[in-house]
Amino acid sequence: MKKTIIASLIGAAFTTPIYAADAVNFNDIIVTASRTPQTREAPVADVSVIDAEEIQRAGQSTLVEILARQPGIEVTSSGGAGTISSIFMRGTNSGHVVILIDGLRIDSATLGSVALENLPVAQIQSIEILRGPASSLYGQDAIGGVIQIFTKKGSGDIKFNANLGYGRYNTKRADAGVSGGIGDTRFALNVSSLNTHSFSSIDTQNSNYNDDDANRNLAFSGNVSHQIENGHEVGVQFFHTDGRVHFDNRFNGSNFDSRSDSKQYSFALFSNNQFTDVWLSKARIGQGADESVTFDEFSTAGGDLYKTKQLQLSWQNDFKLPVGTLTLLYDGLFQKVRSNSVSYSTKARDNDGFVASYLLDYDAHSLQLSARHDHNSQFGRHNTGNIGYGYKLNQNWRLTAGYGTAFKAPAFNELYWPYTDYGFGFSYGGNPNLAPEKSRNFETSARFQDEDTTATITAFHNRIDNLIGLNNLAAAQPVNINQATINGLSVTANQRLGNFNLSGSVDFQSPKDDKTDKLLVRRANRHASANVSYTWGDWRIGAESIASSKRYNDPANTKSMSGYALLNATVDYKLSQDWSIQARANNILDKKYALGLDFGGEAYNTPRANLFVNIRYQPE
C-alpha cells in the first residue's frame, strides 16, 4: 500500500438574509459565492450551478463525469467507477479545490484530496461551483476554487421517491428516499446503492491484472430541522458513503486481487437565529472523515489503514447595514490522522480562521470584499483577501473584475511521511519544512443575459508560487521548487429557441510550469463541451459532446495522451405525473481514449460505448 500511496502523490442593501439551509431549496438562490444567499445573477465571481434536473439526466454517470461537462474543469481517472479520480479547475492542481458536503470538508489530510470517486450522485440535490481563488472565504486549499455539494432536503408534503436502473458492465443502481415537513419540522432521508462489474483498470495484455475491477457503493444521507419560532431554527445533518473497488497494481508480483475499502462521512448540528432585523447568526459544529483500507501484496495484516478526522466549528454573523451586508465569521478546523502502516511524526494540526466580508448591490454597482486571517499550528499565520466589482451597463450587459489571493496547505504525506527505502533505487521521505503554496489571481468578465440567452466570457491570470514537487525521482523528497502561471479564457453560452435548448462552453488555457515552460501534468490547452436538447410533450431528447486537446502524463511532456471527443445522448419520457423512464447512451462512437497513464506507461481504461436505462418515481 505504501507504494500505492506514493504513486498517488485541490437593492441598496440586501433584504433580510435567509438561511443557507433554505437557500438550496430554490433554483434561483446560491450560497457558495459569498457564504451568504444570493440570486444566481448577483455574484461578481465566476459561478455555475448543476441543478437536480441535470443530475437526474446523468443516469449512471459518476460525479467526476458530471463535473467534466462543466466550464473550467478537467478530470483524470485511473480506471472505471470507484477508482482514484480527480479534477483540475482552471488548470490548477487536483488538491487546489475545496470540496464541501453541505458545508463540511471530508477530504483526506494525508493525501490532500477528496475521494470524489466514492461520492454517489444519487445523494446529491445540487452542486455549486465557484471558480477562482476563495481562500479568503474558505481557507486553505482554495487556489482553483470551491465545489459545494448539497444533499437532498425536504419541504412541503411528505413524499417518497425511488429510482431503479441497469446498464452495461452489469451496472445496477437503486435509490430511494422520503422527505417533507410536519408542522415546523422538515426532514429528508435518502439511501442509494451502486454495483458494477466495470472493466479492467489498465489497458494491458498482462494476465496478472487484465480482469474486471468491480465497484460497489452503499450510501445514505439525512437531515432534520425544526423552526422553534419565527426566525430561529435548529437541525442536524449527516452523510455516509461506503465503497469497495478492485484495482490493478503494477507493483504486485502476482495476480493478487488488489482492492480498497473507502468511507467518507460527516455529521453536524446547526442553529440559525435571526436575533434582530439586522443580525442573523449561523452556528455549526460538525465532523468530516475520510477512511481507506487497502489490500495488496504489500499490505499489513488486515490491510493498510489511513484515516482523517476533521472537527469543524463555524459561527457566522450576517449584519444588514444601511448599505450592504457585513459578514463576520469564525472558521475552525482541527485535523487528526491515523495509520496502522505509517508512523507519522506529527498526527494533528489545528487552524483558526477569522473572516470579514462585505457585499453591496447598489444601482448598477456590485461590490464584494473579503479578508481572512488563518493561524495554523503547522505553518503559522497566513492572510488572504479578495476584491470583486461588477458594473451593469444596461439591462442585459454586465462587466466584472476581481483580484484574489489563496494558499494550499501541504498534506501530511508531504510533510511527515517517514523516510522509506523501497528498493530498485527509489526512496521517499516527507519534508516538515515545506511552506504553503500561494497564488495571486486577476480576472475579468463580460456577461450578457436576456429572457432566452445567457453568455459569459471570462479571462484570468493566476500565478502560483511555492509549488510543491519532488527534488528528484530516486531519493525523492517534496520541496517548494516550482512556480506556475496559468492564463486562460473561458466562454460559456446558453440559448433557448422554442422547444430547443442549446448550451456549451470552451476553455483556452496555458497551465505551464514557469521553470520548464512545459504543460502541467494531465492538463490540456483546450477543452470544451456542448449540449442540445428538444422537448416535445412528455418527451425530452438530448445530445452532448465533450472534447479535449492533447495532454501529457509527465512533467517533461514526453508521455502524451491524445486529444479526444465524446458523444452522449439521453432520452426521457414521462409515463405519468409521477413516473418517468430514461435512457442514457455514453460514448456512442465507442472512442478509445485515456485520462491518465500508469507508471509503466500503459493507459488507464475508460468506459467504451454503454447504455443505461432507469425508471424513476418522483412525485411533483
Side-chain angles (χ1 to χ4, degrees):
M1 173 57 185
K2 292 181 181 179
K3 293 186 178 181
T4 305
I5 288 289
I6 294 300
S8 64
L9 291 172
I10 253 160
F14 277 111
T15 58
T16 301
I18 60 178
Y19 300 135
D22 292 331
V24 297
N25 289 326
F26 301 98
N27 289 332
D28 60 343
I29 296 294
I30 60 175
V31 298
T32 306
S34 62
R35 299 191 73 139
T36 58
Q38 295 178 278
T39 58
R40 279 201 189 189
E41 67 274 9
V44 176
D46 184 7
V47 185
S48 60
V49 179
I50 306 174
D51 58 24
E53 183 180 352
E54 183 173 350
I55 292 171
Q56 287 178 357
R57 291 198 302 270
Q60 88 282 27
S61 299
T62 65
L63 173 60
V64 173
E65 289 171 333
I66 293 174
L67 292 173
R69 303 166 196 151
Q70 306 306 311
I73 294 181
E74 299 173 88
V75 304
T76 180
S77 72
S78 53
T83 58
I84 295 174
S85 303
S86 56
I87 65 170
F88 307 120
M89 187 179 292
R90 282 189 174 181
T92 60
N93 290 344
S94 58
H96 288 168
V97 179
V98 171
I99 297 177
L100 306 171
I101 304 287
D102 294 322
L104 294 175
R105 293 175 182 249
I106 58 166
D107 55 302
S108 165
T110 57
L111 289 174
S113 58
V114 176
L116 291 168
E117 64 276 2
N118 203 42
L119 303 183
V121 173
Q123 296 293 328
I124 301 174
Q125 176 170 292
S126 65
I127 304 171
E128 295 182 4
I129 302 171
L130 169 61
R131 287 171 286 269
S135 286
S136 61
L137 290 174
Y138 293 95
Q140 62 189 46
D141 308 334
I143 288 178
V146 176
I147 296 176
Q148 181 151 204
I149 298 168
F150 295 96
T151 57
K152 296 177 179 179
K153 304 296 188 291
S155 62
D157 296 335
I158 296 176
K159 297 176 182 178
F160 294 87
N161 64 84
N163 181 67
L164 190 65
Y166 182 82
R168 188 181 175 182
Y169 306 118
N170 198 26
T171 301
K172 299 180 284 285
R173 171 182 165 180
D175 45 88
V178 58
S179 62
I182 303 175
D184 293 326
T185 301
R186 298 180 301 165
F187 70 94
L189 178 64
N190 297 278
V191 61
S192 64
S193 69
L194 176 70
N195 285 272
T196 177
H197 287 178
S198 194
F199 44 82
S200 179
S201 295
I202 298 179
D203 183 12
T204 181
Q205 298 302 314
N206 188 325
S207 60
N208 282 340
Y209 47 89
N210 187 15
D211 61 342
D212 291 343
D213 292 307
N215 170 239
R216 58 92 173 152
N217 177 276
L218 179 65
F220 57 87
S221 66
N223 53 84
V224 179
S225 62
H226 177 73
Q227 184 172 290
I228 302 171
E229 60 179 88
N230 189 31
H232 297 272
E233 178 188 44
V234 295
V236 59
Q237 65 186 54
F238 59 89
F239 170 83
H240 187 281
T241 176
D242 186 342
R244 167 173 287 187
V245 64
H246 298 254
F247 63 94
D248 297 328
N249 187 352
R250 175 173 291 277
F251 293 109
N252 286 342
S254 67
N255 60 350
F256 188 92
D257 184 18
S258 297
R259 64 191 187 277
S260 177
D261 294 339
S262 179
K263 296 180 182 178
Q264 289 76 40
Y265 55 88
S266 66
F267 61 87
L269 301 173
F270 62 86
S271 178
N272 299 323
N273 303 96
Q274 188 79 55
F275 288 120
T276 71
D277 290 342
V278 299
W279 175 23
L280 172 62
S281 168
K282 293 180 280 189
R284 178 173 57 204
I285 178 171
Q287 180 173 277
D290 173 277
E291 178 181 326
S292 67
V293 182
T294 301
F295 304 85
D296 58 25
E297 278 193 350
F298 309 98
S299 298
T300 57
D304 291 337
L305 168 70
Y306 295 86
K307 186 171 185 177
T308 298
K309 283 188 175 181
Q310 302 186 87
L311 176 65
Q312 297 163 72
L313 306 175
S314 68
W315 184 25
Q316 179 172 328
N317 296 273
D318 299 331
F319 298 96
K320 179 184 175 184
L321 305 180
V323 178
T325 298
L326 172 68
T327 295
L328 301 177
L329 166 72
Y330 168 74
D331 190 16
L333 179 65
F334 308 92
Q335 298 176 315
K336 293 183 178 181
V337 301
R338 181 167 67 90
S339 174
N340 65 353
S341 60
V342 173
S343 179
Y344 293 101
S345 59
T346 299
K347 299 179 181 179
R349 67 182 177 193
D350 304 336
N351 191 91
D352 295 306
F354 303 91
V355 179
S357 68
Y358 177 74
L359 280 176
L360 170 69
D361 273 315
Y362 181 76
D363 197 18
H365 305 275
S366 299
L367 180 66
Q368 179 174 347
L369 304 172
S370 57
R372 178 171 175 134
H373 173 75
D374 284 283
H375 182 230
N376 190 283
S377 60
Q378 184 266 317
F379 57 78
R381 302 177 185 275
H382 204 90
N383 297 317
T384 51
N386 196 296
I387 179 172
Y389 174 74
Y391 181 74
K392 199 166 187 178
L393 296 173
N394 53 43
Q395 185 176 355
N396 303 117
W397 283 96
R398 188 187 191 204
L399 303 178
T400 72
Y403 174 81
T405 59
F407 73 101
K408 160 74 175 175
F412 276 74
N413 285 351
E414 296 169 325
L415 291 163
Y416 307 121
W417 188 277
Y419 173 82
T420 306
D421 188 343
Y422 296 96
F424 308 102
F426 175 73
S427 64
Y428 178 86
N431 179 2
N433 297 315
L434 285 174
E437 299 172 325
K438 302 178 182 180
S439 75
R440 294 167 290 168
N441 180 86
F442 174 79
E443 62 187 83
T444 184
S445 76
R447 307 174 186 179
F448 175 85
Q449 180 174 354
D450 66 14
E451 186 175 351
D452 296 317
T453 307
T454 60
T456 301
I457 181 168
T458 303
F460 62 90
H461 170 85
N462 195 2
R463 170 66 184 265
I464 307 173
D465 296 313
N466 290 340
L467 267 178
I468 296 173
L470 297 179
N471 56 352
N472 61 69
L473 297 179
Q477 185 182 48
V479 291
N480 295 108
I481 57 173
N482 295 337
Q483 291 82 39
T485 299
I486 307 173
N487 295 311
L489 183 70
S490 181
V491 181
T492 65
N494 185 290
Q495 177 68 53
R496 187 172 58 195
L497 297 170
N499 291 342
F500 282 96
N501 193 81
L502 299 89
S503 62
S505 66
V506 59
D507 294 281
F508 305 94
Q509 60 184 23
S510 59
K512 290 187 176 182
D513 185 315
D514 288 348
K515 187 176 181 180
T516 64
D517 200 37
K518 303 292 187 181
L519 284 176
L520 298 179
V521 173
R522 296 183 180 179
R523 269 146 284 189
N525 284 129
R526 300 174 302 280
H527 54 96
S529 67
N531 183 291
V532 57
S533 64
Y534 178 76
T535 303
W536 177 46
D538 294 327
W539 290 88
R540 184 190 181 280
I541 302 172
E544 61 190 31
S545 180
I546 305 169
S548 175
S549 62
K550 179 189 292 187
R551 294 135 295 130
Y552 295 93
N553 201 68
D554 63 319
N557 287 186
T558 61
K559 299 177 181 179
S560 65
M561 296 178 289
S562 300
Y564 64 89
L566 307 178
L567 179 64
N568 308 323
T570 61
V571 178
D572 299 81
Y573 177 66
K574 198 170 182 62
L575 299 168
S576 67
Q577 181 175 344
D578 300 331
W579 290 87
S580 61
I581 189 170
Q582 172 191 357
R584 180 179 182 88
N586 287 325
N587 194 4
I588 294 174
L589 302 179
D590 200 30
K591 293 287 186 178
K592 187 175 183 179
Y593 64 103
L595 297 175
L597 307 180
D598 82 334
F599 282 84
E602 292 182 303
Y604 289 115
N605 272 319
T606 51
R608 303 298 292 270
N610 63 89
L611 176 68
F612 186 84
V613 179
N614 64 287
I615 186 168
R616 176 181 295 109
Y617 173 71
Q618 183 78 51
E620 296 183 352

